[in-house]
Amino acid sequence: MQNKIIFLAGLLLFAFLLNLSGQKMVNSPYARFNIGVLEPAGSFRSLGMGGTSVSFRDNTSIYFNNPASYTSIDTNSFIFDFGIDYSINKLANGETRFTSDDMNFDHLLLGFPLGKNIGVAAGLVPLSNGYYKLAETISQGDPGYDPVTGEYSSNHLGEGSFINFFAGAGIKFLRHFSAGANMTILFGQIRRTNRITFSDYESVFHYNRSENLRIGGVNFDYGLQVALPVNKNYFINAGISLTSGKRYKSDYEDFSYLFSAFNTADTLSYFTGGDQKAYIPGTLRAGFSLGRKDKMTASFDYITTKWSKAEILGAEGYLADTRSLHFGIEFIPEKYSIYDYFRRIEYRAGAHIEDNYVIINNEQIKGYGITAGLGIPVRRSLSKANIFFDYTVRSGSFDNNLHRENYFTLGVSLNLHDYWFLKRRYD
């Protein structure tokens, strides 16, 4: 009964959080390119362990990066997981610094078994965030001032995001093997505006350019896992998953015009993508994990995507292949302790290093980060609150007119687990 009350309270809290904010508004100039800043994918347990998850098998969590993992969900159980995160981004380009922050909904996940060897899951997870806001005013005496151009202000704004809804199933076979597939529905749009206005507002024409990109469609993920036979106290798991490359329906509009203070306008250019589809390449993930059951887990993942093969209108010349390495570890002092609550807490740490998919001025942006996390159990249940912290650096060289981002994220999720359709003798 206690778990069902917590579950219903979680649903109400989630409904409230959906109305809290429509998109993450953490300012990143790198969101000006391609489909925005790619969001880390995973439950908060996996993000606390450096983003590893491809080989994970856990009866209380959902690892959508590999749908084969759904077979680890207990019979007659139900899992509901939703999370929020708070992020701070500190920008620096060698001369100036800027800080922005925001709190937002991160994910919604649910899963349950259909039988002894079949599990299903569904969820809503972010793919990318396109928010940025940049402004500059050039006055007489500034380094960039040109007497022919005069004083002016430039404003650049991006907003919108892309989101994946997934639903999938996994099936266990040959005792140690599991396979699965997700159907994913990608949807969303990004709007970008660039405006230049001159100080002599009423005497000259000003410039405005707007871009609008929509992408939507259905794709599939495939996964395979093997739980290698070891004695009952230890485990070794390996996994591989693939998101297939896909051509999505896409709408793109690029409109440039001059305007005056007297509501007159002169179109400079107008381009629409017409029937051209956006191609997003496939992603390959591979990983393994090993450790002692209910005590310790060490994990490693490798992820790669041929983003240079992507075809996204407005992103030409800014796409580069990505490769990332992820490492994680989890330690539980005594998972089933009945005398010391703090010995039941799960302690996590990890790291990741990656090549970003943005390339500017022939230089690919690099990234690396460290993570930490806690799994705090709920009394008398398998439910828990997951907390993770991530510090990521994204940077290019200052000499190449690029900047450095110090990105801090704190996430909290409720991972609710209960057994349904069971009549208990005692409560």
Side-chain angles (χ1 to χ4, degrees), residues 29 34 61 132 146 152 208 212 306 324 327 359 366 371 401-402 416:
N34 307 332
S61 301
Y132 63 90
D146 185 339
Y152 68 92
N208 191 91
N212 193 5
K306 295 285 188 181
S324 62
F327 311 88
I359 184 169
K366 304 294 183 181
T371 68
N401 295 319
L402 302 177
L416 305 176

Side-chain angles (χ1 to χ4, degrees), residues 195-377:
R195 174 171 289 212
I196 298 176
T197 56
F198 297 91
S199 59
D200 189 5
Y201 193 78
E202 295 184 353
S203 301
V204 300
F205 278 91
H206 312 280
Y207 174 78
N208 191 91
R209 178 185 178 186
S210 62
E211 292 179 90
N212 193 5
L213 173 67
R214 296 186 184 90
I215 299 177
V218 178
N219 198 10
F220 291 90
D221 308 320
Y222 308 94
L224 180 68
Q225 285 185 335
V226 55
L228 301 176
V230 192
N231 68 48
K232 63 179 182 179
N233 293 323
Y234 296 88
F235 67 89
I236 300 176
N237 297 332
I240 187 170
S241 67
L242 173 68
T243 300
S244 58
K246 171 70 177 182
R247 289 196 176 275
Y248 292 91
K249 181 180 178 181
S250 174
D251 295 318
Y252 178 75
E253 185 180 72
D254 187 340
F255 181 33
S256 300
Y257 61 92
L258 299 177
F259 66 97
S260 74
F262 305 102
N263 295 322
T264 58
D266 184 13
T267 298
L268 296 178
S269 65
Y270 177 78
F271 174 78
T272 179
D275 296 330
Q276 184 171 342
K277 293 187 176 182
Y279 175 73
I280 296 181
T283 296
L284 176 66
R285 311 171 190 88
F288 69 88
S289 57
L290 54 86
R292 183 176 177 181
K293 296 177 181 178
D294 300 327
K295 190 71 173 181
M296 190 274 290
T297 300
S299 54
F300 167 79
D301 281 4
Y302 171 76
I303 304 174
T304 183
T305 305
K306 295 285 188 181
W307 277 103
S308 62
K309 304 296 184 183
E311 298 174 12
I312 303 170
L313 288 173
E316 296 86 351
Y318 297 107
L319 290 157
D321 295 342
T322 61
R323 291 162 295 276
S324 62
L325 302 176
H326 305 258
F327 311 88
I329 190 168
E330 178 184 71
F331 176 72
I332 311 171
E334 191 175 350
K335 184 171 184 177
Y336 301 106
S337 174
I338 59 176
Y339 301 106
D340 190 341
Y341 173 81
F342 292 98
R343 293 185 62 81
R344 294 170 53 199
I345 294 177
E346 302 165 359
Y347 300 89
R348 302 163 185 150
H352 52 89
I353 182 170
E354 57 264 338
D355 297 323
N356 196 280
Y357 84 139
V358 173
I359 184 169
I360 306 172
N361 298 332
N362 295 317
E363 180 180 345
Q364 186 171 8
I365 306 304
K366 304 294 183 181
Y368 59 88
I370 57 174
T371 68
L374 296 173
I376 302 175

